[in-house]
Amino acid sequence: MLQFITHPSDRYTIAEEVKMAIEGGCKWIQLRMKDASYEEMKSTALEIIPMCKENDIILVIDDNVELVNELRVHGVHLGKNDMDPRKAREILGPHAIIGVTANTADDILSFRGVDVDYVGLGPFRHTTTKKNLSPVIGLDGYKDIVATVTEGGNTLPIVAIGGITLEDVTGIMATGVQGIAVSGSIINAPDPVRYTSQLLEALSPSDI
């Protein structure tokens, strides 16, 4: 599974980024616009929703449960300081996708009994697309966390995130995670469409 996370860029608009990721074969988009107003996010979401619908793409919006509810996109991704996922579930109903952020095994195990759909675990390495970064995890960290949470009964899909590049994919997937989320390495690639398709090719042996 590959999730593309949007990020403001000097080279492309958010809609252009999403279009290229979709052309490269990505089927899961997270709209993240951390410093944007509600109206700015809504305007951008309305630009990309038709592309997502036309190509059967899952679209989740970072943090903004209200906007997800208004526009009826697939779901929301909640950071550690965002709304409690239980409250988000009450608002969005049983069919919405709710993703949550985790940095440790304890974070993941704390979601036992909570109706969420996947965990974004990171950061893999230092990334410039996020402020207030938690300590980097690295390959050994992912292996340890996956082993610990599996032993603890976790069944939530784990998506690795944070500074991931094409060269990292094989090693990361060997740790037992179910997917990766990528932002900067796609946007900054010389050919984002080709880079996206290469990421998917690297994922395909263990893709879900």
Side-chain angles (χ1 to χ4, degrees):
M1 175 170 73
L2 172 66
Q3 185 180 111
F4 171 65
I5 302 176
T6 69
H7 185 71
S9 153
D10 296 334
R11 298 171 70 193
Y12 310 111
T13 65
I14 300 283
E16 285 169 341
E17 290 177 10
V18 169
K19 183 171 185 286
M20 289 185 293
I22 291 173
E23 283 176 7
C26 183
K27 291 292 186 182
W28 187 306
I29 306 290
Q30 182 189 141
L31 176 61
R32 184 203 273 163
M33 297 171 67
K34 274 297 178 199
D35 301 318
S37 69
Y38 187 92
E39 287 306 318
E40 284 172 322
M41 278 193 83
K42 182 176 174 180
S43 168
T44 302
L46 289 172
E47 269 189 273
I48 65 175
I49 284 169
M51 277 189 269
C52 291
K53 282 189 171 164
E54 195 177 309
N55 294 282
D56 207 17
I57 307 296
I58 292 172
L59 174 62
V60 298
I61 293 176
D62 180 62
D63 181 12
N64 203 319
V65 173
E66 192 184 338
L67 186 59
V68 170
N69 202 32
E70 181 186 344
L71 299 180
R72 308 310 293 175
V73 299
H74 293 93
V76 69
H77 184 91
L78 298 170
K80 294 175 95 170
N81 301 316
D82 297 336
M83 184 186 287
D84 185 302
R86 295 170 188 84
K87 185 161 173 31
R89 178 62 71 198
E90 279 176 33
I91 294 168
L92 298 175
H95 302 299
I97 293 169
I98 296 181
V100 287
T101 293
N103 310 114
T104 65
D106 285 344
D107 287 344
I108 296 174
L109 293 172
S110 73
F111 294 113
R112 273 186 301 202
V114 182
D115 188 6
V116 296
D117 297 286
Y118 73 93
V119 178
L121 175 64
F124 170 64
R125 70 158 59 87
H126 181 72
T127 170
T128 54
T129 63
K130 202 154 192 187
K131 298 170 190 167
N132 309 319
L133 205 62
S134 299
V136 296
I137 295 171
L139 283 180
D140 288 342
Y142 275 100
K143 282 178 197 157
D144 291 346
I145 290 171
V146 170
T148 302
V149 299
T150 303
E151 200 175 303
N154 173 68
T155 55
L156 287 171
I158 297 172
V159 178
I161 182 170
I164 296 169
T165 67
L166 180 59
E167 291 71 31
D168 301 318
V169 173
T170 305
I172 290 175
M173 294 308 290
T175 66
V177 300
Q178 280 73 43
I180 60 167
V182 178
S183 183
S185 65
I186 288 179
I187 298 165
N188 297 321
D191 182 345
V193 175
R194 178 168 158 69
Y195 196 87
T196 303
S197 65
Q198 288 175 317
L199 284 167
L200 285 161
E201 281 166 25
L203 278 167
S204 59
S206 47
D207 201 10
I208 58 164

